[in-house]
Amino acid sequence: MASSTAYIIMLDAKTGVFTLISEKDELTIDKSHKKYEWLKGQEAGRIVKISEKGRWNSSRDYNNLYQSIKPKRKAPKKQKIAKTNKDKAGAYCFSFDEKKNHFLLIDSKGTQVQINSAHKKFEWLQSQDTGRIIKISEKGRWNSSKDYDGLYDEINSSLSKKKSSVERSVKIKVKKSKSIETKPTKSNTNELANLKDTVHHLKDKLDKREKEWRGLLKAKKFDKSVINQLKKEVSNRNKKIELLENQITQLKKSKSLTSKPKPSKPKKVEKKQWEARFTVTESAINIYSKKRSKKTKRVKITTKPLEKKPSERFLKQQLKLQVANNYNYNVQIISGLHYAYHNTECPKISNIILEWIREY
């Protein structure tokens, strides 16, 4: 007998290519192969047997071939991402150099990092507002936040001390202090009040700066670089004040929009009484003859005070309740029903027709 080789069937869902795997070899069957459509028609878990003469047939997996043959899977290699000096972890102030067309990041130690247009974070830096702090984690993740620790003031003060010897001679001391305009206070819940306090503080600080450089002008003890630096500080403070005042107006608008309107008191509904007249067929069974007698009656019903006009269905229900000797909480008077005949039982009403309904 001619021997045959048994294969298990594996399909790559992405490429649509079949792989036949035996204990000896592997076969790849793509769409160009004549047996491709035949393989697509096979059920999952079937075995393909190929004889030496090239005949193909399928059968069940009696010998547990799928368990004995495990397809080899190549684990993807993890790409090692080398850290560069540009992504060094830390907190940075940033500025843009228009001449050289690159961003300059500076930390509190004076370390400077240049980010040009080829860097992947160049466009992201363009979208950041001035005065933000750029933080780079040890894993290379970038994010921005407000200058809660006054990093800009700290770096500007250190740079100004290095550049200006005249400022040291005139004894203009730039103190390292945390930025008040962004520092959260204990009463952080009242954001609007905090912003107003910040604006007031900045204006006081602005007045002191103006007096400082105007005093230098009068005493004629100044250098152009010192005056320019002070003027820049004044303009920056003005911008920050303007931004904070805009935030205050936006907060006021948002509070006015989100403020819930006072609930209006429900209007008192005037209750009214209603009366209606019906034509009904009244019947009862004689206890001796056991015969039912019928009579046509006109029944009048008067309701208790109600919030709205009662419906025809509601009034009919009240009539039926009255016949069943049930107490009606919504009805004051029902007249015209005489079902309690002498020597009768099982009273009923039928053919209930509404003639009119009106306010009592």
Side-chain angles (χ1 to χ4, degrees), residues 59-217:
S59 67
R60 291 182 181 177
D61 186 12
Y62 295 105
N63 299 322
N64 294 327
L65 198 61
Y66 276 93
Q67 294 182 5
S68 60
I69 299 175
K70 294 182 180 179
K72 296 179 181 179
R73 296 183 178 178
K74 295 180 180 180
K77 294 182 180 180
K78 294 183 179 179
Q79 295 181 355
K80 293 183 179 179
I81 302 172
K83 292 185 179 179
T84 62
N85 292 329
K86 292 181 180 179
D87 296 340
K88 187 177 179 181
Y92 298 88
C93 298
F94 77 101
S95 60
F96 184 68
D97 190 341
E98 294 182 357
K99 293 181 180 179
K100 297 181 180 179
N101 193 28
H102 68 241
F103 285 97
L104 185 65
L105 305 185
I106 307 174
D107 64 3
S108 59
K109 296 178 181 179
T111 306
Q112 297 185 2
V113 179
Q114 293 182 3
I115 305 298
N116 56 24
S117 58
H119 197 278
K120 61 181 180 180
K121 291 293 182 179
F122 184 80
E123 292 183 0
W124 179 80
L125 280 171
Q126 286 182 324
S127 64
Q128 300 302 312
D129 294 332
T130 56
R132 302 282 288 182
I133 295 298
I134 308 302
K135 293 183 179 179
I136 304 174
S137 68
E138 292 182 355
K139 294 183 179 180
R141 293 178 181 173
W142 291 49
N143 60 71
S144 68
S145 66
K146 290 183 179 180
D147 186 12
Y148 293 107
D149 297 326
L151 191 61
Y152 279 91
D153 290 344
E154 184 179 347
I155 291 172
N156 288 335
S157 64
S158 61
L159 290 175
S160 62
K161 285 179 181 179
K162 290 179 182 179
K163 290 180 181 178
S164 179
S165 60
V166 178
E167 186 177 356
R168 287 196 300 270
S169 64
V170 180
K171 296 181 181 181
I172 300 175
K173 296 181 180 180
V174 182
K175 294 183 180 180
K176 295 181 180 180
S177 59
K178 292 188 177 181
S179 178
I180 297 172
E181 56 267 18
T182 55
K183 183 179 178 181
T185 61
K186 291 181 180 179
S187 59
N188 199 23
T189 53
N190 194 347
E191 190 176 355
L192 187 60
N194 290 341
L195 286 173
K196 287 181 178 179
D197 292 340
T198 305
V199 171
H200 180 69
H201 174 77
L202 283 173
K203 286 181 177 178
D204 289 344
K205 200 169 184 179
L206 189 63
D207 293 338
K208 289 179 182 178
R209 282 297 191 191
E210 285 185 354
K211 288 178 182 178
E212 202 171 315
W213 65 266
R214 289 183 189 280
L216 288 172
L217 286 172

Side-chain angles (χ1 to χ4, degrees), residues 4-31:
S4 60
T5 306
Y7 295 86
I8 63 173
I9 307 169
M10 304 298 294
L11 174 64
D12 190 342
K14 292 182 179 180
T15 60
V17 176
F18 287 98
T19 303
L20 304 185
I21 306 172
S22 69
E23 293 179 348
K24 298 178 182 179
D25 60 348
E26 293 184 6
L27 300 177
T28 302
I29 308 298
D30 57 11
K31 293 180 181 179

